[in-house]
Amino acid sequence: MVSVQAMTFDGAAPGTQSLWERPAGAISWRIWTLWLMAFGAFSIILPRDASYDVLHYHLYNGWAVLNAPEGQHFAPAEMHSFLNPMWQAVIWQLIEWLPGVVVAFILGALQALVLPALYALTRRALLAAGHMPKLVTVLAVAVCGFLCEAQFGLVASVRNDALSALVFIAALLALFPAQTARRQLAYLALASAGLGLILGLKPTNGVYVAGFAVAALIAAPNWAFRAQTALVCGIAGAIGIALGGGYWMAHLWETFGNPLFPMANDVFNAELGPQGGFRDTRYLPDGVFDAIIRPFAFLLNGELITEHDFFDPRFQMAYLAAPVVAYFAWRARRPEARSLIGFSAAILVTIAAWSAVFSIARYAAAIWMLGPTALVVAVALVRPNWMTAPKTPMYGLVLAILIIATTQPATLRRVPMAGVFAPYVSVSVPETESYENAVIAFSGGYPAAFTAYAFPESATFTHLVPQDWSAPALEPYRNARIRPLLAQDKPIYAVIVDTEDHFEETAEKLLRVEGLIIDAATCKRLHTDMDSEAVLWRICPLGSANGRP
């Protein structure tokens, strides 16, 4: 068996040392449990995330896979209807079983696990750099990474991007040597299985898989162990992918002939998919040079990588610090240098893959979380004497507070809970209409599919007039499945959000694109606990411009 450099991570006993002098040992599970409970409680207090994706497909997909019979829905959430719903199904089951505040607490406690993962990773990386860090220093770095902008957007949310980042950060712990090669391989296998699982659940997590794969090979001490790593990680990762995405990919393959439908149709050529490949290109850089300099541009203009502006310098910390860590770790020739170089590679490869394929902020949330860790490790390698200075913990704490205070989160739509015992989401349809055997078309560019669960089982769900950027993904599908549905002898209703000019714009598009007419006087209001003064949903009977009732 190949030997691996042993390394211990237990800090010295605190004894009578002051808080500022205490080394960063392992924090008791009791303390972390209190932290998870506290953040779960905070998630209850904070209004729920009611942003576009949550109302568009996260809630709908979870309900649909558990409750909608075959043939009842025809892409109600547009192209997002075909994304793997397995995680959303777990969330919807919680929503059906538990009060909303309990669901929020559970989601918050899961998100809070990022902090102990960041603490452990920062501590191990500093030890690998040759320093016994102080408790206050490591905790300040971990908290600073945890309170990045991406985390603010994901608090009290059913979205799973924070959990994906958690798995990636926890996986990076496996880059640092265990006491034996057998145990090291076990850690790498566990990390790979976790990453495979989140890749199966959500293909955008492939950016993390790419980063970890390169890092694990770099961190291996020799070619023999590298070969074992490749084999073990490959098998474990494949098992994880099968567990997370096997069922849904098989379903899409059987239904459409494309396990990633409607994506990657340039490879699978599904008849109902788009001609060629399709992906969201709104935020992609314009060439390699633009990708290289882009982090400095979106630091000052967050709308380059998401719909809402924000300010958070942690991504840039990781981007600049990672190559510094790699270079000085290599130059130091320490036994643990490969682990640090692998850590740097994980960051840089993830950034490169993210820039080339998606460049949407939350798909690389872990990079913002890792920024402070990468920066402090770079300082430990370049200026080791700074880490031993008596006032370093205090300076680190002040710097963390300054970064946190200057972070400007994106403005997301949030709605408070309706009450202590209220469900996480509720919708009531007008009692004057039955909607039995009707076609319910969620229409326009603002989400409405989350209301589907409130309609009768005999209703059929679909969408009309999607956003311009996503419309090409399902144009053949609409021609083959949705437009024939509209021609059937069934009443058709459009569910449309009434906010700003959206209702009027959608009514105009329904007439122009589908030949369907709305009489605004016949529209009724859907009452949901996601309503606000500026945003509410209406349901309207549709008539045909050619005279069909």
Side-chain angles (χ1 to χ4, degrees):
M1 177 65 71
V2 179
S3 63
V4 177
Q5 175 69 34
M7 192 173 186
T8 60
F9 298 104
D10 292 330
T16 58
Q17 293 169 314
S18 69
L19 177 63
W20 299 105
E21 297 173 332
R22 188 172 300 173
I27 295 178
S28 168
W29 65 268
R30 295 177 180 84
I31 299 298
W32 287 129
T33 300
L34 290 175
W35 155 248
L36 300 183
M37 294 177 65
F39 198 79
F42 174 69
S43 299
I44 293 174
I45 297 171
L46 196 71
R48 292 163 297 171
D49 173 12
S51 60
Y52 183 94
D53 286 350
V54 169
L55 302 185
H56 182 49
Y57 74 94
H58 280 277
L59 291 171
Y60 169 78
N61 285 7
W63 168 80
V65 75
L66 293 172
N67 297 284
E70 192 70 27
Q72 184 183 9
H73 47 164
F74 294 85
E78 304 175 37
M79 54 175 280
H80 298 88
S81 304
F82 304 104
L83 299 183
N84 187 341
M86 294 299 102
W87 174 251
Q88 285 79 19
V90 173
I91 299 303
W92 188 263
Q93 200 66 76
L94 293 177
I95 289 173
E96 289 191 333
W97 287 344
L98 303 170
V101 293
V102 179
V103 176
F105 178 88
I106 293 171
L107 294 173
L110 289 173
Q111 185 180 7
L113 288 169
V114 171
L115 184 60
L118 280 172
Y119 177 87
L121 182 62
T122 303
R123 178 170 169 260
R124 292 193 179 196
L126 286 172
L127 285 165
H131 296 278
M132 173 56 75
K134 299 294 190 292
L135 173 65
V136 172
T137 301
V138 177
L139 197 54
V141 170
V143 170
C144 186
F146 179 81
L147 294 180
C148 66
E149 188 278 337
Q151 289 280 58
F152 286 116
L154 296 170
V155 176
S157 174
V158 297
R159 292 181 290 171
N160 56 9
D161 300 279
L163 297 181
S164 298
L166 167 65
V167 173
F168 178 60
I169 292 168
L172 296 182
L173 289 167
L175 299 178
F176 297 89
Q179 283 74 15
T180 66
R182 185 182 298 275
R183 180 172 294 182
Q184 181 68 15
L185 284 172
Y187 290 159
L188 289 167
L190 183 61
S192 299
L195 288 166
L197 180 69
I198 64 171
L199 175 60
L201 289 172
K202 191 171 185 178
T204 58
N205 291 321
V207 300
Y208 295 141
V209 174
F212 180 78
V214 173
L217 295 176
I218 290 175
N222 53 53
W223 283 104
F225 192 80
R226 192 166 291 122
Q228 293 181 52
T229 297
L231 178 62
V232 168
C233 290
I235 295 173
I239 293 172
I241 292 172
L243 291 174
Y247 163 76
W248 192 248
M249 286 190 286
H251 167 72
L252 293 179
W253 175 261
E254 181 180 354
T255 306
F256 300 106
N258 178 349
L260 300 174
F261 185 87
M263 305 299 182
N265 210 48
D266 51 339
V267 177
F268 297 101
N269 296 313
E271 181 180 356
L272 297 182
Q275 299 300 313
F278 173 84
R279 59 175 172 159
D280 186 354
T281 60
R282 292 175 296 168
Y283 304 108
L284 290 178
D286 185 16
V288 175
F289 180 73
D290 185 31
I292 293 172
I293 66 171
R294 209 154 184 261
F296 307 106
F298 67 65
L299 173 63
L300 302 176
N301 181 12
E303 291 183 358
L304 289 174
I305 56 173
T306 189
E307 293 181 350
H308 304 283
D309 192 26
F310 69 94
F311 177 82
D312 187 344
R314 294 168 181 80
F315 187 103
Q316 290 70 25
M317 290 179 189
Y319 186 61
L320 295 174
V324 174
V325 170
Y327 173 73
F328 280 90
W330 170 79
R331 199 175 75 169
R333 297 291 195 273
R334 289 177 52 78
E336 301 84 9
R338 285 189 174 277
S339 298
L340 293 175
I341 296 172
F343 168 73
S344 300
I347 291 175
L348 294 175
V349 172
T350 298
I351 291 174
W354 170 79
S355 297
V357 181
F358 304 111
S359 204
I360 295 174
R362 61 192 175 91
Y363 294 162
I367 302 301
W368 276 270
M369 299 177 195
L370 290 169
T373 297
L375 179 62
V376 76
V377 174
V379 171
L381 290 168
V382 178
R383 290 288 185 268
N385 57 308
W386 289 7
M387 299 303 297
T388 58
K391 293 186 178 180
T392 293
M394 182 179 66
Y395 291 148
L397 186 59
V398 171
L399 181 60
I401 292 172
L402 180 63
I403 294 171
I404 293 168
T406 56
T407 298
Q408 296 178 0
T411 301
L412 297 177
R413 187 170 182 271
R414 290 184 172 276
V415 179
M417 290 283 183
V420 175
F421 299 105
Y424 193 88
V425 58
S426 67
V427 178
S428 60
V429 299
E431 295 182 358
T432 55
E433 301 279 353
S434 69
Y435 305 109
E436 294 286 349
N437 299 305
V439 175
I440 310 296
F442 306 107
S443 305
Y446 200 94
F450 78 99
T451 64
Y453 83 94
F455 290 94
E457 291 185 5
S458 63
T460 303
F461 303 117
T462 189
H463 78 271
L464 293 172
V465 293
Q467 296 186 95
D468 292 339
W469 72 268
S470 62
L474 291 183
E475 190 56 32
Y477 181 94
R478 276 189 288 274
N479 288 329
R481 297 285 176 87
I482 296 178
R483 289 182 175 120
L485 177 67
L486 301 179
Q488 295 180 12
D489 187 20
K490 290 185 177 183
I492 305 171
Y493 293 86
V495 178
I496 309 173
V497 73
D498 192 354
T499 178
E500 298 177 346
D501 298 325
H502 185 266
F503 186 92
E504 290 76 15
E505 291 174 358
T506 303
E508 186 275 328
K509 287 183 179 179
L510 281 168
L511 177 59
R512 174 167 48 85
V513 177
E514 304 294 348
L516 296 171
I517 298 175
I518 289 179
D519 180 358
T522 62
C523 296
K524 295 182 173 60
R525 181 175 173 180
L526 290 175
H527 290 275
T528 88
D529 63 353
M530 297 294 180
D531 296 353
S532 65
E533 292 184 3
V535 179
L536 53 90
W537 283 263
R538 298 191 185 280
I539 183 165
C540 309
L542 295 178
S544 173
N546 61 14
R548 174 184 173 273

